[in-house]
């Protein structure tokens, strides 16, 4: 979700053997996203399934992605900004997590905007159990200094009683 024009997370996953559908809500970045991923994954064991527009608030598009893909991993990296629609993002995550079996959701988050960060975590915690990777398990560069404001979280959907 929110791959951006660079698609670095998508590139890393494809190079590690994953089949990836990269998405972003900005139509303007999709051409560059597609070119960048293809240009940096030639010969990789995984493949790019597509680079597509996906707006977090578009319920039908999110349902279509969930139904057509056998996804076992959803990755977000650095997508919470001061302009974010927190409710739409968490709703999109919850819809994707409703698949059976539910995918693992990994979030790399950089702490920048106090109010938006708090809103995001409050919305996430209402739907998911959040597990933060301990700082000592991160690369040393991300434990202190400028990188010390980055967290890696695993989100596990809460199951509603039948």
């Amino acid at each position: 979700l929110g791959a951006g024009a660079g698609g670095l997370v998508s590139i890393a996953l494809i190079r590690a053997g994953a089949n990836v559908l990269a998405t972003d809500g900005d139509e303007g970045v999709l051409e560059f996203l597609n070119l960048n991923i293809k240009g940096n994954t030639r010969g990789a064991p995984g493949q790019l399934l597509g680079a597509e527009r996906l707006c977090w608030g578009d319920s039908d598009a999110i349902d279509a992605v969930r139904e057509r893909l056998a996804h076992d991993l959803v990755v977000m990296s650095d997508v919470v900004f001061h302009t974010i629609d927190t409710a739409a993002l968490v709703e999109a995550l919850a819809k994707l997590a409703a698949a059976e079996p539910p995918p693992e959701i990994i979030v790399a988050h950089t702490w920048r905007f106090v109010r938006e960060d708090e809103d995001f975590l409050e919305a996430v915690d209402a739907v998911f159990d959040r597990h933060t990777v301990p700082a000592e398990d991160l690369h040393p560069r991300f434990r202190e200094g400028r990188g010390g404001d980055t967290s890696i979280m695993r989100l596990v959907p809460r199951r509603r009683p039948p």
Side-chain angles (χ1 to χ4, degrees):
L1 296 178
L8 294 176
V9 172
S10 299
I11 291 167
L13 289 169
I14 292 168
R15 287 179 166 264
N19 295 325
V20 173
L21 174 65
T23 65
D24 199 281
D26 184 349
E27 185 80 40
V29 305
L30 295 179
E31 179 182 355
F32 297 109
L33 173 61
N34 198 21
L35 290 170
N36 199 30
I37 293 173
K38 285 181 178 178
N40 286 286
T41 57
R42 286 188 189 97
Q47 78 179 92
L48 177 65
L49 302 175
E52 299 180 7
R53 184 167 191 247
L54 180 65
C55 293
W56 299 331
D58 185 341
S59 187
D60 292 337
I62 294 162
D63 287 341
V65 166
R66 185 185 71 223
E67 289 171 11
R68 106 171 178 255
L69 291 178
H71 57 276
D72 23 70
L73 181 65
V74 174
V75 179
M76 294 181 356
S77 179
D78 206 22
V79 298
V80 177
F81 294 96
H82 65 280
T83 57
I84 187 175
D85 183 346
T86 300
L89 171 57
V90 174
E91 181 180 327
L93 288 171
K95 281 184 155 288
L96 292 171
E100 285 298 334
E104 184 164 2
I105 300 173
I106 304 295
V107 178
H109 180 68
T110 301
W111 305 92
R112 290 190 190 94
F113 308 104
V114 175
R115 188 185 82 235
E116 289 79 2
D117 291 338
E118 289 174 353
D119 289 348
F120 173 66
L121 292 181
E122 184 177 316
V124 162
D125 290 345
V127 180
F128 296 94
D129 290 323
R130 176 172 40 104
H131 307 276
T132 302
V133 175
E136 59 269 12
D137 291 346
L138 299 175
H139 186 280
R141 188 160 107 197
F142 294 100
R143 291 184 209 154
E144 54 191 56
R146 180 146 170 76
D149 55 357
T150 300
S151 294
I152 308 294
M153 298 174 272
R154 180 174 172 259
L155 305 181
V156 178
R158 292 203 188 108
R159 290 293 173 209
R160 296 180 186 170

